[in-house]
Amino acid sequence: LPKHVTCPNCSGSGAAPGSQPETCPQCHGTGQVRHSQGFFQIAMPCSTCQGTGQVIKKPCPRCKGQGIVEERREIVVRVPAGVDTGTRLRVRGEGEPGEHGGPPGDLYVVLHVEPSKKYERQGQDLIYTCEISFVQAALGHRVEVPGLKGPLPLDIPKGIQSGTLLRLKGEGMPYPGRSNRGDLLVEVKVLTPTRVSDKQAELLREFERLESESPLDKVKNLGKKLSKKMGLD
Ligand SMILES: [Zn+2]
Ligand SMILES: [Zn+2]
């Protein structure tokens, strides 16, 4: 980053090498001039030396008497695991130099985390969408979901509904500076086939027929008929 640093040519004094800043003749080195106004004396910063108490007769050619120069510096910053957009990292002593050779300030690095193509992030939890067929949803299925450290086996229980979230504890983002992690949530998405062959259609109709004749449905239908007859509906 572009950074103001103490001029290496004059060590920040602003005076050309071999010369010294001199005591300001206007304020005699106090940096202030006093004006009397009635009873009051008002102290103002000296305009000759801008309140520094010193004047530079021969300014440093590199920094033109400013004592600081701008340079580009590469600063290596270690990003701890688990940071998120908006996280501020403080780098001590890498800010602007202090005035008149004072200690430098700190550099704050504000992070912006690019969204992942694989996961949706909610704090330290990650959401991964897993697509399965309706047959797999009905019968149960073992899948492999991509974890942060490698593939993770996951048993999808039979009869699962689309949109159900399955939780893999401790497989999410690490909490910065801590040993624990968020969870990986697997959102199960049940895919409906968009094209079925004649044979498949036949089997599905058969499935539908068996389903409507299930003993439970028969009891339900009977119950409905009865309550209609008795005027309870
Ligand atoms: Zn200089
Ligand atoms: Zn002065």
Side-chain angles (χ1 to χ4, degrees), residues 24 26-27 31-33 44-51:
C24 174
Q26 181 79 26
C27 63
Q32 291 186 336
V33 282
M44 301 270 282
C46 172
S47 58
T48 307
C49 62
Q50 274 85 42

Side-chain angles (χ1 to χ4, degrees), residues 125-165:
D125 289 342
L126 295 173
I127 300 166
Y128 173 76
T129 304
C130 176
E131 295 180 337
I132 56 168
S133 73
F134 73 107
V135 177
Q136 290 167 337
L139 303 179
H141 191 56
R142 170 168 265 225
V143 292
E144 256 188 5
V145 295
L148 289 176
K149 288 185 266 179
L152 297 164
L154 175 70
D155 283 317
I156 294 180
K158 63 179 178 183
I160 199 153
Q161 300 298 314
S162 198
T164 305
L165 287 172

Side-chain angles (χ1 to χ4, degrees), residues 19-80:
S19 74
Q20 290 285 324
E22 287 166 30
T23 304
C24 174
Q26 181 79 26
C27 63
H28 310 290
T30 62
Q32 291 186 336
V33 282
R34 289 170 196 283
H35 299 281
S36 290
Q37 232 175 36
F39 291 110
F40 301 105
Q41 262 206 342
I42 299 167
M44 301 270 282
C46 172
S47 58
T48 307
C49 62
Q50 274 85 42
T52 60
Q54 290 181 325
V55 283
I56 293 157
K57 285 261 168 68
K58 270 176 74 187
C60 163
R62 176 118 180 234
C63 64
K64 296 176 180 64
Q66 295 302 302
I68 50 172
V69 284
E70 193 183 288
E71 63 173 36
R72 289 194 82 82
R73 277 232 268 181
E74 221 165 80
I75 293 163
V76 177
V77 180
R78 222 188 128 71
V79 179

